[in-house]
């Protein structure tokens, strides 16, 4: 398995404690999730109907401010797994460093995969991939710059898994253009990663092919019910975006007091430069707070935002010792 955050089982093996004892800040998942409430037993007992799935699609189109075709999938990762089958094998260029599943999935399917360090270097690729905002550094690109790249590549995939709290960066409204495919994650912003829900947004041909490959029931009835409810809740989304913005300022201040330098981030995570990331991770882990380090970047430490006030207090106290 490729390196990811969320590997709390490894933290428990090394440092002990029950899962409920830990504050997992190793991912970019909202620690104060959308309140699920009760779900009608029908959504557990019956196969999702076409009208159920259509209702979810309509809720997503409204939330993402697009009229382009889209398809619900088992998280953005499900769409990534199908990318090699969407177009003939060729040359892929990925703006990096970034989420490592793209390179792994495409390489396994015999694509010629190259990492590019600048947006212009993606030109000429059969498949160009940009994570916007980026994971793990949070770098972002203006929609107009990404649209300018579109005619210079065979197909442009924009992963917007972390865009919910900064919607002005989204290209979802332009996703009907030929050659443009947008991937959205539901679980990160809504804090429900275990629901396994995401969307691919694009032109009719690409979305039709992805839908066909995903089968008649691409997501569960529970995912449909919760997704519809959450995507229609504008008040919750607005309040959450504001809370996350305040949390970024608070977390950056805590890190600054440690002498850590902010390298970047999104409203869901922050990336810091530290003298020694592994030592900092272990220091936090002894108090059951899990963070993300990077094997190829020994001074990088990534922290998600704590959720409750108790989590904020615990993090501040551990680092103040």
């Amino acid at each position: 398995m490729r390196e990811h955050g969320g590997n709390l089982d490894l933290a428990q093996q090394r440092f002990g404690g029950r899962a409920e004892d830990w504050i997992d800040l190793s991912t970019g998942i909202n620690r104060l999730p959308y309140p699920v409430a009760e779900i009608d037993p029908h959504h557990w007992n019956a196969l999702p109907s076409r009208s159920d799935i259509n209702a979810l699609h309509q809720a997503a189109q409204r939330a993402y401010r697009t009229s382009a075709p889209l398809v619900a999938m088992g998280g953005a990762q499900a769409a990534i797994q199908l990318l090699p089958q969407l177009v003939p094998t060729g040359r892929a260029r990925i703006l990096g460093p970034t989420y490592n599943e793209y390179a792994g999935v495409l390489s396994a399917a015999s694509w010629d995969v190259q990492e590019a360090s600048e947006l212009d270097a993606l030109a000429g690729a059969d498949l160009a991939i940009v994570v916007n905002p980026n994971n793990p550094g949070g770098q972002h690109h203006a929609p107009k710059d990404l649209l300018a790249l579109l005619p210079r590549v065979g197909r442009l995939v924009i992963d917007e898994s972390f865009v919910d709290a900064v919607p002005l960066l989204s290209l979802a409204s332009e996703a009907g253009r030929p050659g443009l495919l947008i991937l959205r994650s539901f679980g990160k912003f809504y804090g429900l990663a275990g629901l396994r829900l995401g969307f691919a947004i694009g032109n009719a041909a690409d979305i039709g092919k992805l839908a066909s490959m995903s089968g008649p029931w691409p997501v569960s009835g529970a995912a449909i019910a919760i997704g519809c409810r959450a995507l229609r809740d504008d008040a919750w989304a607005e309040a959450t975006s504001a809370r996350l913005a305040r949390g970024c300022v608070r977390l950056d201040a805590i890190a600054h007091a440690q002498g850590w330098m902010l390298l970047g981030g999104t409203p869901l995570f922050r990336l810091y430069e530290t003298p020694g990331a592994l030592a900092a991770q272990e220091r936090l882990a002894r108090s059951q707070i899990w963070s993300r380090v990077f094997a190829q970047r020994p001074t990088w430490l990534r922290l998600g935002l704590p959720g409750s006030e108790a989590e904020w207090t615990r993090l501040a106290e551990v680092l103040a010792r």
Side-chain angles (χ1 to χ4, degrees):
M1 181 178 290
R2 285 176 279 275
E3 179 185 86
H4 296 294
N7 51 347
L8 194 58
D9 52 343
L10 298 180
Q12 290 177 258
Q13 291 172 17
R14 291 177 59 191
F15 300 99
R18 303 166 301 168
E20 55 266 34
D21 297 329
W22 284 82
I23 302 173
D24 188 1
L25 305 182
S26 69
T27 72
I29 298 169
N30 184 358
R31 294 281 301 172
L32 291 179
Y34 185 80
V36 171
E38 292 187 7
I39 303 173
D40 191 307
H42 165 82
H43 296 297
W44 297 107
N45 301 337
L47 286 171
S49 68
R50 177 47 54 187
S51 60
D52 291 335
I53 296 173
N54 287 342
L56 176 62
H57 288 171
Q58 290 166 11
Q61 286 174 316
R62 177 187 171 278
Y64 300 149
R65 300 175 177 85
T66 184
S67 59
L70 55 73
V71 60
M73 309 184 78
Q77 183 63 45
I80 295 171
Q81 297 296 142
L82 294 179
L83 279 181
Q85 303 172 50
L86 187 61
V87 290
T89 305
R91 179 172 53 192
R93 290 178 180 162
I94 304 169
L95 189 63
T98 193
Y99 184 54
N100 58 27
E101 286 293 327
Y102 284 101
V105 166
L106 291 165
S107 295
S110 300
W111 279 70
D112 174 16
V113 179
Q114 303 168 2
E115 182 175 298
S117 58
E118 297 179 356
L119 200 61
D120 284 344
L122 299 175
D126 300 302
L127 178 64
I129 296 169
V130 180
V131 180
N132 193 51
N134 192 32
N135 172 17
Q139 302 89 346
H140 58 270
H141 302 274
K144 65 180 181 62
D145 295 331
L146 295 171
L147 288 177
L149 177 65
L150 182 57
R152 303 166 66 197
V153 299
R155 184 173 268 91
L156 177 61
V157 175
I158 308 296
D159 184 331
E160 295 186 347
S161 291
F162 291 99
V163 85
D164 293 73
V166 281
L168 291 179
L169 290 178
S170 177
L171 270 176
S173 63
E174 305 288 341
R177 298 185 182 217
L180 180 61
L181 184 68
I182 307 295
L183 305 185
R184 295 290 292 251
S185 167
F186 173 87
K188 294 178 176 63
F189 179 71
Y190 290 93
L192 298 170
L195 199 65
R196 305 311 306 136
L197 177 61
F199 300 90
I201 315 171
N203 63 72
D206 282 352
I207 296 306
K209 190 170 182 179
L210 287 170
S212 178
M213 288 189 287
S214 299
W217 305 289
V219 294
S220 70
I224 292 171
I226 295 168
C228 283
R229 190 182 302 165
L231 289 165
R232 293 169 180 154
D233 195 338
D234 296 341
W236 185 90
E238 291 171 7
T240 296
S241 295
R243 175 181 59 80
L244 291 171
R246 294 191 301 270
C248 288
V249 175
R250 186 175 182 179
L251 186 56
D252 290 347
I254 292 172
H256 179 74
Q258 293 297 308
W260 300 349
M261 182 177 71
L262 178 67
L263 295 178
T266 74
L268 286 167
F269 65 80
R270 315 301 281 168
L271 181 67
Y272 301 108
E273 180 91 39
T274 72
L278 274 175
Q281 184 187 53
E282 291 190 9
R283 178 183 170 194
L284 290 165
R286 292 189 198 103
S287 296
Q288 268 105 44
I289 299 174
W290 195 227
S291 56
R292 174 85 189 273
V293 295
F294 301 84
Q296 304 304 315
R297 302 287 195 281
T299 61
W300 284 12
L301 181 79
R302 198 183 79 173
L303 289 174
L305 275 65
S308 67
E309 191 60 33
E311 290 186 356
W312 280 102
T313 299
R314 186 163 141 198
L315 175 66
E317 288 178 348
V318 168
L319 289 177
R321 290 173 191 163

